[in-house]
Amino acid sequence: MIDVLLPVFSKPIEREYEGWLVRGIEKYFQELGIFAVVWAVSPSVESTWPADEHLYMSGKIIGLQMKKANISQNHNPDFTNLHWKLHNPKGQFKLIQKRNEIYYCLPTFLNRKWRDKALEHCIFWRPANAVNYNLWYDNPIKGNPYNKISTHPNALRWGYFYEKVMACDIGVRLSMDLTLHKYLSDLQTSIRQELMWIDQMEKNITRGLYLIYLNI
């Protein structure tokens, strides 16, 4: 048995993973002496700025979209059966494909004992051009382009992810011409344009999105 994949009490839900990951990121930067702050999006703003939380650090913007970990039913808990589902909400996947600064966060554990190590047990991943809503950690018998996320070229562990942020390969750098306010305004405009073909019920398609703001 792989202990990290054994649920305790129940399988964690997405908002639990979100909280664990945010605490891990905050602790990481606190230990480095880098300013960071997390704040929630007001319900009155959420209809136009579709996020649940912001993670703000001086310098760059990255979006993080959490998805919970799943283990196939009637199978032993091993990494070939670890997967993530991107079907819902409808339209979210294609929107993230078009926003280079947004990454999916894919936890690789279901055991709550690992919650304080969520940052180390998470994959930061962007979809390629192919459209498929089922991701597998390592299951080559599944016939889709995302059946081996563990070694996918767009899948990064936290250390490498942050190194690419420092190298200016990830994120949107703010400047006098591109302020945080202008970035959020432009993002809202872009999202509204993408959502014109989606009905009213599906307008909250980036639920669970975080922002990281870094100064390198």
Side-chain angles (χ1 to χ4, degrees):
M1 290 291 187
I2 301 175
D3 194 37
V4 71
L5 298 178
L6 293 175
V8 175
F9 302 119
S10 65
K11 295 179 181 178
I13 59 178
E14 286 181 6
R15 70 170 180 262
E16 291 181 287
Y17 282 121
E18 290 174 2
W20 299 336
L21 182 66
V22 168
R23 285 199 295 272
I25 293 174
E26 287 182 322
K27 180 180 178 182
Y28 179 87
F29 286 110
Q30 286 171 356
E31 292 176 350
L32 291 174
I34 297 175
F35 173 77
V37 64
V38 179
W39 75 96
V41 177
S42 167
S44 63
V45 176
E46 192 171 357
S47 61
T48 57
W49 168 229
D52 289 331
E53 302 271 353
H54 306 86
L55 179 54
Y56 184 94
M57 288 168 276
S58 51
K60 289 188 177 179
I61 296 283
I62 303 104
L64 301 179
Q65 177 66 53
M66 180 63 66
K67 292 298 178 183
K68 68 179 181 179
N70 297 280
I71 290 289
S72 301
Q73 294 182 350
N74 303 320
H75 288 82
N76 292 326
D78 60 45
F79 286 106
T80 63
N81 294 311
L82 176 62
H83 64 280
W84 306 267
K85 299 177 181 179
L86 310 183
H87 300 78
N88 295 312
K90 184 179 179 180
Q92 184 186 79
F93 181 91
K94 291 184 178 179
L95 177 63
I96 290 178
Q97 278 184 313
K98 297 179 180 181
R99 303 298 311 191
N100 291 333
E101 71 274 22
I102 299 177
Y103 278 73
Y104 281 107
C105 299
L106 309 174
T108 60
F109 69 100
L110 287 93
N111 191 327
R112 297 172 188 278
K113 292 193 301 183
W114 264 260
R115 61 185 181 274
D116 291 336
K117 299 297 181 181
L119 192 57
E120 290 91 330
H121 294 275
C122 183
I123 294 173
F124 297 82
W125 178 80
R126 277 198 54 74
N129 293 329
V131 176
N132 194 289
Y133 304 121
N134 297 294
L135 312 182
W136 294 84
Y137 183 88
D138 187 0
N139 195 333
I141 67 172
K142 297 295 181 180
N144 74 58
Y146 306 134
N147 59 11
K148 195 174 176 63
I149 292 300
S150 58
T151 58
H152 191 273
N154 293 346
L156 310 174
R157 296 292 184 160
W158 172 254
Y160 188 39
F161 181 85
Y162 181 52
E163 289 163 10
K164 289 181 74 66
V165 172
M166 291 191 291
C168 299
D169 294 330
I170 290 176
V172 174
R173 178 180 287 278
L174 300 185
S175 65
M176 293 182 64
D177 294 327
L178 181 62
T179 64
L180 178 61
H181 175 77
K182 187 176 187 304
Y183 166 79
L184 296 179
S185 177
D186 291 349
L187 180 59
Q188 291 176 38
T189 300
S190 174
I191 289 175
R192 288 192 191 101
Q193 293 172 348
E194 294 293 337
L195 295 179
M196 290 180 65
W197 57 276
I198 300 177
D199 65 34
Q200 182 69 30
M201 185 177 66
E202 295 170 339
K203 283 189 177 179
N204 291 323
I205 67 173
T206 52
R207 185 172 180 83
L209 175 68
Y210 287 75
L211 285 181
I212 297 181
Y213 182 74
L214 303 173
N215 189 18
I216 307 301

